[in-house]
Amino acid sequence: MIVGVDAKRIVRNGTGLGSYGRTLVNDLLRRGDSELELRLYAPDEGKDSLRGQIIEGATFCYPTEKPSDVGALRKAWWRSRGIVKDLKRDRVNVYHGLSGELPIGLRKAGIPGVVTIHDLIFMRHPEYYHWIDTKIYEWKFRQTLREAAHIIAISERTRQDIIELGGAEYADRISVIYQSFSPRFTKEISASKKAEVKQRYELPARYVLNVGTIERRKNLLLVAEALDLLPKDIHLVAVGRKTDYAEELPKDERIHLLSGVPDDDLAAIYAMGEAFAYPSRYEGFGIPIIEAIAAGLPVVACTGSCLEEAGGPYCRYVDPDNPTEMAEALQMSLRGAYDREQRIAKSREYIKRFEGRDVAGQVIDIYRRYAPNE
């Protein structure tokens, strides 16, 4: 069974969709299924550091021309249309779009398409996007629904959004398969690695951690405002790409914004945190919550989307507009707080449902459902 995979984000995006793709592909490869051949299709080689995170066993495929000779428009055309010819040439049985898109003409070419849809935030909350982008994204979404043989939603919330905003006729083609998380977050971090990372990023002794793009929808200002109500030795460390929204955060020596943090260092930053705050107003899932729990942190997140689904009943959830609630929940999550360790242990038990081999097995079952019998 030859499975083609959209690998653009795998080789280009350090977090988010890139992390999802690399984790899933590696989980599929670790199963050691001799009947499965994975071919990863990308418009160019991307970043060596990201491409190198894929373990041995998959084949990267690029446009027929050398990637360095192909311009941006040509790469975009190849990914959205031209790739179909290459998939037919390579006798691909099933093609998986990992980031909510499938190439035009896939169904007509007789190649079953599986697509993972992470969220429909651009339709639920268009105020966070340029209006032109929302139109483009919505067109791609509806085009992908027409091409797809099967749809993977990464949460029940996303499944409901697809049905409500895309059409009830697609309900029977949707499976909820949660994201898995990288095993690096569960591994013990050596004292020397922690000391090295702490020195490199000048990390404080005690901090609440946040991971994710620093943008308006992620609502980091809520945690910054809650910081004034916490003990003075508690800092906020936020790891993620900055946008203009970062300028709205208070200029406070207790707030540390870090960008471009490599994966190995990120695991250590998680491990040294005291609590994790995820104040986002809307998400399709919220993988940083799972990573934080895996690393042994208590989590405080916000109500209003699917974060309760991701974190489970032993995390704390607060109003996204109430800094006092956020401060109180964080106070009850700091070291020494009542039942903190029990909540961490129960949350770790809850996230076992997201472990990689189980997720990969569910995805392979879908591939087999649509791959032609030899």
Side-chain angles (χ1 to χ4, degrees):
M1 178 172 59
I2 302 174
V3 175
V5 175
D6 176 10
K8 175 186 174 181
R9 308 292 182 183
I10 287 175
V11 301
R12 288 190 183 180
N13 292 40
T15 58
L17 297 177
S19 179
Y20 169 78
R22 288 187 296 275
T23 301
L24 177 59
V25 166
N26 284 339
D27 288 341
L28 291 169
L29 293 171
R30 288 190 183 100
R31 290 181 64 86
D33 192 330
S34 60
E35 296 179 354
L36 178 65
E37 178 183 337
L38 285 180
R39 301 180 69 87
L40 311 184
Y41 291 84
D44 54 41
E45 294 178 337
K47 299 176 182 178
D48 293 344
S49 60
L50 299 179
R51 193 176 64 256
Q53 292 178 29
I54 299 298
I55 64 177
E56 186 176 352
T59 302
F60 279 95
C61 306
Y62 307 104
T64 305
E65 304 92 332
K66 292 182 180 179
S68 58
D69 296 335
V70 181
L73 288 177
R74 177 68 178 172
K75 291 175 184 178
W77 177 88
W78 176 80
R79 183 166 174 260
S80 64
R81 290 178 182 267
I83 190 176
V84 174
K85 182 179 179 181
D86 292 347
L87 298 176
K88 290 184 69 175
R89 176 200 63 203
D90 296 341
R91 301 175 64 191
V92 167
N93 300 121
V94 179
Y95 182 76
H96 189 169
L98 297 180
S99 56
E101 297 180 50
L102 288 173
I104 297 169
L106 192 67
R107 180 180 288 271
K108 185 177 180 181
I111 301 172
V114 175
V115 63
T116 298
I117 294 181
H118 298 260
D119 61 68
L120 296 178
I121 299 172
F122 56 90
M123 296 176 74
R124 281 290 182 202
H125 290 281
E127 67 270 21
Y128 296 127
Y129 298 83
H130 191 287
W131 71 270
I132 292 178
D133 290 336
T134 64
K135 299 300 182 184
I136 293 171
Y137 297 155
E138 183 176 350
W139 182 87
K140 286 184 176 181
F141 165 61
R142 299 195 186 283
Q143 175 63 34
T144 291
L145 291 183
R146 290 191 288 269
E147 294 287 353
H150 202 86
I151 301 159
I152 294 174
I154 64 166
S155 67
E156 183 58 38
R157 175 68 269 167
T158 295
R159 177 181 178 275
Q160 292 299 327
D161 283 352
I162 295 169
I163 294 170
E164 181 178 338
L165 301 174
E169 65 268 28
Y170 298 105
D172 292 341
R173 281 195 257 160
I174 304 173
S175 296
V176 175
I177 300 181
Y178 292 109
Q179 288 183 255
S180 56
F181 59 92
S182 172
R184 70 178 179 275
F185 295 108
T186 62
K187 294 178 180 177
E188 188 70 27
I189 309 295
S190 69
S192 60
K193 177 65 175 180
K194 290 180 181 178
E196 173 195 334
V197 169
K198 184 176 182 179
Q199 181 179 22
R200 180 181 304 135
Y201 299 102
E202 300 179 346
L203 297 175
R206 303 181 70 192
Y207 60 86
V208 172
L209 179 64
N210 169 266
V211 175
T213 303
I214 301 171
E215 60 181 334
R216 189 170 305 280
R217 175 174 58 86
K218 301 286 188 179
N219 196 30
L220 187 61
L221 184 59
L222 180 73
V223 187
E225 292 174 342
L227 201 60
D228 288 338
L229 304 174
L230 293 174
K232 296 304 180 184
D233 62 339
I234 298 294
H235 292 231
L236 168 62
V237 174
V239 180
R241 179 177 61 84
K242 297 178 187 176
T243 69
D244 292 344
Y245 174 73
E247 298 302 316
E248 299 183 23
L249 299 176
K251 302 298 185 284
D252 187 331
E253 63 181 10
R254 295 165 68 195
I255 298 176
H256 311 257
L257 306 182
L258 308 177
S259 299
V261 175
D263 286 346
D264 286 348
D265 290 353
L266 181 59
I269 292 173
Y270 268 115
M272 290 185 285
E274 194 157 333
F276 187 81
Y278 203 66
S280 182
R281 294 183 180 278
Y282 205 89
E283 294 291 331
F285 184 60
I287 195 66
I289 288 178
I290 312 302
E291 295 170 348
I293 293 171
L297 297 184
V299 170
V300 179
C302 284
T303 57
S305 59
C306 68
L307 300 184
E308 294 98 329
E309 190 178 348
Y314 307 106
C315 298
R316 297 191 183 277
Y317 303 95
V318 302
D319 186 315
D321 293 302
N322 193 324
T324 301
E325 278 191 18
M326 173 60 74
E328 290 173 349
L330 287 172
Q331 183 72 57
M332 292 186 287
S333 301
L334 300 177
R335 293 191 184 103
Y338 172 73
D339 82 349
R340 177 180 184 271
E341 301 308 316
Q342 293 93 324
R343 287 191 290 114
I344 291 173
K346 290 177 179 178
S347 292
R348 281 182 143 175
E349 188 67 26
Y350 175 84
I351 66 168
K352 286 183 178 180
R353 68 194 62 199
F354 308 129
E355 288 182 348
R357 293 183 67 86
D358 182 48
V359 169
Q362 295 176 66
V363 173
I364 287 178
D365 286 344
I366 289 177
Y367 294 161
R368 289 199 172 113
R369 189 186 310 178
Y370 293 98
N373 294 322
E374 296 293 337

